[in-house]
Each structure stands twice: as C-alpha cells, then as structure tokens.
C-alpha cells in the first residue's frame, strides 16, 4: 500500500512538473516569438527540475522492484 502511494505521488509530481513546463505556452502568458519573461524562465526551471527528479525516482524505484522480483525468482527455483 505504501509503495502504491509513493509511486502515485511521484507520478503526480512528474505530471505537475510537465504542466509547469508547458503552462507558459498553453495558458499564453509567454508571447510567441518574444524573449522569455521571468515567469516562463521560473516555470521552466522549477517544472523541469521537478519532472526530472520525479522521473529519476520512478526509474530507481522500478529498477529496485525488478531487482527484488529477480531475487525472489532465484529463491523459488531451489
């Protein structure tokens, strides 16, 4: 149960980070073709960082889960 909650939180953080990256362009406060405004730069850095960290955490969790499954499989053949 705790693992599902943790993975769900990481997925939500990842999606939230992606939204922060896309928001300036979707919502329209970044004018097309203009230099990036401060809010856009902030959203790109914060959103990109959140998305990257949560993605790396999900990959680490998946690798650990696969390692655990492989370890369990080794013991079942004895």
């Amino acid at each position: 149960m705790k693992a599902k909650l943790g993975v769900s939180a990481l997925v939500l953080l990842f999606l939230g980070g992606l939204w922060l990256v896309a928001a300036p362009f979707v919502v329209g406060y970044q004018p097309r073709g203009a230099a990036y405004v401060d809010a856009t730069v902030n959203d790109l850095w914060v959103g990109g960082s959140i998305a990257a960290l949560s993605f790396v955490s999900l990959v680490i969790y998946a690798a650990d889960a696969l390692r655990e499954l492989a370890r369990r499989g080794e013991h079942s053949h004895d």
Side-chain angles (χ1 to χ4, degrees):
M1 178 66 178
K2 289 181 184 180
K4 287 182 183 179
L5 184 62
V7 169
S8 298
L10 287 173
V11 168
L12 287 175
L13 279 171
F14 179 70
L15 293 175
L18 290 181
W19 169 248
L20 282 174
V21 170
F25 311 102
V26 173
V27 175
Y29 62 82
Q30 172 58 49
R32 186 178 295 248
Y36 284 173
V37 296
D38 289 340
T40 299
V41 173
N42 185 55
D43 278 0
L44 292 175
W45 276 106
V46 173
S49 298
I50 290 171
L53 286 172
S54 59
F55 181 76
V56 168
S57 298
L58 283 167
V59 169
I60 290 170
Y61 176 79
D64 188 49
L66 287 173
R67 191 176 308 115
E68 178 66 22
L69 285 173
R71 187 184 63 79
R72 288 182 187 177
E74 289 174 1
H75 293 300
S76 66
H77 293 300
D78 289 339

